[in-house]
Amino acid sequence: LKMSTTECTERRFKRVFVTVGTTCFDQLVEAVTQQGFLKLLASRGYTHLTLQIGRGEFEPDPPNEGVSVEWYRFKPALRDDMISATLIISHGGAGSIMESLSLGKPLIVVVNELLMSNHQTELARQLHREGCLLYTNPSNLYHTVEEMELGSLRRYESGKPEVFGKYLDQVMGFDAQQ
């Protein structure tokens, strides 16, 4: 029985990609590089963790807990890292959420509670209600990963931008009747 390179790679490596976008979200970076969290990832079969840390002050120096960790601040495009990921953990920016979902990747959105007007929570909550992603905050991320059942997530159906547009109008307080 011959396997393709992709099948071999997927069987040997389970990759987590974490993105904070262009912002500073040190709480997320710290949460995913703690010893206990890395042990949890290893216990769930994950072998690699790649972090895009943005403008944060915290530079991870994680312990070796059976998960290979690498990080960078920015890249021109994150798509390759998203494609190679088995699981994506993302800040709540609409662009990162929609790109992850369009790739059909399991997604955990970690909402930055320190932001003033937190539209991230509304978008994540709505897509969670639709069964497309999980969402949490930095302090509950460990529990979310511990309890996650990624097989229960449904694939986001793109191609209906009017539904997403209507939802954004509602969140932003625009009256759709005008």
Side-chain angles (χ1 to χ4, degrees), residues 73-99:
R73 290 196 177 277
F74 300 103
K75 278 186 181 177
L78 305 179
R79 188 172 180 84
D80 288 343
D81 288 323
M82 290 178 156
I83 289 170
S84 69
T86 313
L87 169 67
I88 297 173
I89 299 174
S90 176
H91 68 114
S96 295
I97 290 173
M98 299 315 293
E99 185 168 7

Side-chain angles (χ1 to χ4, degrees), residues 21-86:
T22 58
T23 65
C24 173
F25 196 1
D26 284 342
Q27 297 85 353
L28 175 54
V29 176
E30 290 175 21
V32 298
T33 56
Q34 290 180 3
Q35 182 178 13
F37 190 81
L38 294 171
K39 283 183 177 180
L40 174 62
L41 289 179
S43 75
R44 303 243 14 195
Y46 293 98
T47 56
H48 292 76
L49 173 64
T50 302
L51 301 120
Q52 180 270 317
I53 68 166
R55 289 185 270 208
E57 292 180 19
F58 180 75
E59 293 186 350
D61 185 20
N64 184 346
E65 293 297 339
V67 177
S68 170
V69 179
E70 61 184 19
W71 63 271
Y72 57 87
R73 290 196 177 277
F74 300 103
K75 278 186 181 177
L78 305 179
R79 188 172 180 84
D80 288 343
D81 288 323
M82 290 178 156
I83 289 170
S84 69
T86 313

